[in-house]
Amino acid sequence: MIEFYIPIIGLGVAVFTLIFLVLRTRIHVLLAMLIAAIIAGISGGLTMSNVVEVITKGFGSTLGSIGIVIGLGSMMGRILEVSGATERIAYSLIKWLGKRREEWALAITGYIVSIPIFVNSAFVILYPLVKALAKKGKRNTLTLGVSLAGGLVVTHHIVPPTPGPLGVAGIFGVSIGSMMLAGMILAVPCVIGITLYAKWLETKYPEYQLADIDENSEDLQQVHQRYMEEKSNKLLPSLFLSLQPIVVPIVLILINVINGMLLRSEAFAGKENCFYFQTFNFLGSPIIALAISVLLAIYTLMPKVSKHEVIEHLEAGLKTVGIILLVSGAGGALGAVLNESSTGTILAQYIASLPITPVLIPFIIATLIRIIQGSGTVAMITAASISAPVIKHIPDINMLVAAQAAMIGTLFFSYFNDCFFWVVNRMMGIKDARQQVIVWSIPTTIAWGIGLCGVLLLNLVM
């Protein structure tokens, strides 16, 4: 009986050690995850030499499936960021939706833009629009700012090719195309929920204005001019060219996913070697699709920029993902250790007897880790690492739904230990702690609750 509990106790010690090292020591999360993997492996019955071997194998296999995609996605996002494509998308949506619907335009902009661009960078880039619209349209700054941030944060957390969802996809062994399709669908009601809450903020804080929005504030045209001066007087790209690097890879990947469904049907059985299916199987693989996207971004958004400057921008994009790659690999190593040891099987037998659906296990773990340490990326990768090797032993579990649950759980109550909490509140000039929670922690929790309903519905359907 004691032998049954040792792996479980060991996993508990490993998780506690991981959280303690991240919160209370100067040890980086990468080293903390490796230490946790060693503890979990040895307590789970692996020898010390086997632990090292499994860690290496898990690290390599995880990065092998997502490493190139993360790098390509970051390069593409960087080009969209510096070329002005992001602003063009925002301006166009605002123009189409018209006056008094600016919050929806900003929410949709955030939804689109945060798929390839890091959420912090995207908010900083687009926030001048919030200030300009608040002044010109006499709109509430909180409503516009929270709508933009809500659109950004949801897709950043649950739609590849942002690094966190890619890491979860690799650990759960789910195709990136399926993750992208499911994430984009689940994100819609979450963004709507945040935007409706943002409109309520206009009622709660009707007189709220940023301190720096005065008579000298810039209007939209001045924002345009200042942006173009900063970019050496380069014109903003057209909307078609701005959307192309985002839309093309999504379409290619989704066509490949649909083709996979068709090939599993009786009508198309045995036709996988057909030229059409072979072509889109190649073009729709995430690596090729994103490589095409990067090429489109370089040659259509920055056609007259020098080779040296383009390479600098691409390398700047890669610098931002180095640590995320390593953390994702470490998460894969922890998952591999749990999978190879007896811990995963023992926990699976126990969880299968609980009166809840097992797909909620990664959701619960991700929520708890998010509360404790703040980072959504670390929380979802840790939750995936712990839960994936466990629930894979449970019959009739849809790993796609479980992966979505791990990501949705990280939307819970963004507050003081989350860097984006400070980006949003500080840029909007909010200094009161209670107001900070009302403005940003509550809307992310609304998205978390809506996302949970979406996951349960998806689990019921699939």
Side-chain angles (χ1 to χ4, degrees):
M1 193 66 178
I2 296 177
E3 292 180 358
F4 176 84
Y5 286 111
I6 288 177
I8 308 300
I9 295 171
L11 177 59
V13 172
V15 174
F16 174 81
T17 302
L18 169 63
I19 294 171
F20 175 79
L21 292 177
V22 172
L23 292 180
R24 296 295 183 182
T25 72
R26 291 178 291 177
I27 295 176
H28 193 274
V29 64
L30 171 64
L31 280 173
M33 292 188 84
L34 292 177
I35 293 170
I38 293 170
I39 295 172
I42 293 175
S43 62
L46 298 178
T47 65
M48 285 186 279
S49 58
N50 282 342
V51 167
V52 175
E53 189 177 312
V54 172
I55 286 175
T56 305
K57 180 182 176 183
F59 191 98
S61 63
T62 301
L63 289 189
S65 63
I66 64 168
I68 297 176
V69 177
I70 289 178
L72 290 171
S74 300
M75 288 193 289
M76 186 257 286
R78 178 64 177 171
I79 297 298
L80 291 174
E81 182 180 323
V82 300
S83 67
T86 303
E87 286 89 341
R88 171 58 69 194
I89 294 169
Y91 285 125
S92 299
L93 287 170
I94 290 167
K95 182 179 178 181
W96 288 347
L97 291 175
K99 192 175 181 180
R100 306 307 299 177
R101 288 193 290 269
E102 294 91 348
E103 66 274 11
W104 293 104
L106 289 169
I108 295 169
T109 299
Y111 176 95
I112 296 171
V113 165
S114 196
I115 292 175
I117 299 178
F118 281 95
V119 63
N120 290 3
S121 300
F123 189 79
V124 171
I125 292 168
L126 291 172
Y127 189 68
L129 278 177
V130 172
K131 294 197 296 182
L133 289 170
K135 174 64 178 179
K136 188 176 182 180
K138 297 181 180 179
R139 297 299 309 275
N140 187 284
T141 306
L142 298 184
T143 296
L144 300 184
V146 171
S147 297
L148 172 62
L152 291 168
V153 78
V154 172
T155 50
H156 175 80
H157 275 254
I158 65 176
V159 181
T162 47
L166 283 174
V168 173
I171 293 169
F172 274 94
V174 178
S175 77
I176 293 172
S178 299
M179 289 280 282
M180 187 177 290
L181 179 60
M184 291 175 69
I185 293 171
L186 288 175
V188 171
C190 296
V191 173
I192 291 173
I194 291 180
T195 307
L196 291 175
Y197 180 85
K199 287 172 70 67
W200 173 80
L201 288 174
E202 199 164 23
T203 303
K204 184 171 179 62
Y205 301 105
E207 296 88 20
Y208 191 84
Q209 294 290 334
L210 281 176
D212 59 350
I213 294 186
D214 54 28
E215 294 181 358
N216 297 320
S217 293
E218 302 163 309
D219 61 19
L220 282 175
Q221 184 60 36
Q222 288 173 319
V223 173
H224 265 297
Q225 292 173 353
R226 189 183 70 171
Y227 176 81
M228 288 188 285
E229 288 172 4
E230 290 175 352
K231 303 303 176 185
S232 303
N233 296 317
K234 295 173 186 172
L235 295 174
L236 293 175
S238 69
L239 179 63
F240 174 77
L241 294 179
S242 299
L243 286 172
Q244 198 172 234
I246 302 174
V247 173
V248 168
I250 291 175
V251 170
L252 290 174
I253 290 171
L254 293 185
I255 288 175
N256 191 28
V257 172
I258 293 170
N259 287 345
M261 296 177 182
L262 292 175
L263 289 172
R264 288 193 290 272
S265 67
E266 291 183 8
F268 293 91
K271 295 185 179 181
E272 57 272 4
N273 292 325
C274 172
F275 177 77
Y276 167 80
F277 289 112
Q278 284 288 306
T279 299
F280 279 100
N281 185 49
F282 173 74
L283 295 177
S285 64
I287 292 175
I288 301 301
L290 282 168
I292 292 171
S293 174
V294 173
L295 291 173
L296 286 172
I298 292 171
Y299 286 102
T300 62
L301 298 179
M302 307 183 77
K304 298 180 181 179
V305 178
S306 68
K307 172 185 174 182
H308 177 72
E309 189 176 345
V310 169
I311 291 175
E312 279 189 345
H313 288 316
L314 294 175
E315 290 182 349
L318 288 175
K319 288 176 183 177
T320 60
V321 299
I323 189 57
I324 295 175
L325 284 170
L326 291 174
V327 171
S328 298
L334 176 57
V337 166
L338 295 178
N339 189 46
E340 292 290 330
S341 67
S342 60
T343 309
T345 305
I346 293 171
L347 272 177
Q349 294 171 352
Y350 174 72
I351 290 171
S353 65
L354 294 177
I356 62 171
T357 174
V359 297
L360 288 183
I361 299 304
F363 176 83
I364 294 169
I365 296 173
T367 300
L368 292 174
I369 296 176
R370 162 74 163 186
I371 295 170
I372 293 168
Q373 58 80 47
S375 169
T377 300
V378 172
M380 68 178 70
I381 290 174
T382 305
S385 304
I386 295 171
S387 60
V390 175
I391 63 177
K392 69 181 293 186
H393 295 289
I394 302 175
D396 303 322
I397 293 297
N398 189 302
M399 298 299 276
L400 171 61
V401 180
Q404 292 294 327
M407 297 183 297
I408 292 289
T410 62
L411 288 170
F412 185 75
F413 203 76
S414 168
Y415 76 124
F416 307 125
N417 56 2
D418 176 15
C419 64
F420 193 55
F421 172 91
W422 295 109
V423 171
V424 172
N425 280 301
R426 290 302 186 191
M427 291 202 71
M428 292 196 295
I430 305 170
K431 297 179 181 179
D432 178 71
R434 180 177 178 272
Q435 191 177 10
Q436 288 173 340
V437 170
I438 292 172
V439 167
W440 188 237
S441 303
I442 291 178
T444 58
T445 307
I446 290 172
W448 172 85
I450 295 172
L452 171 60
C453 296
V455 166
L456 292 174
L457 181 61
L458 186 64
N459 186 51
L460 184 65
V461 171
M462 300 185 68

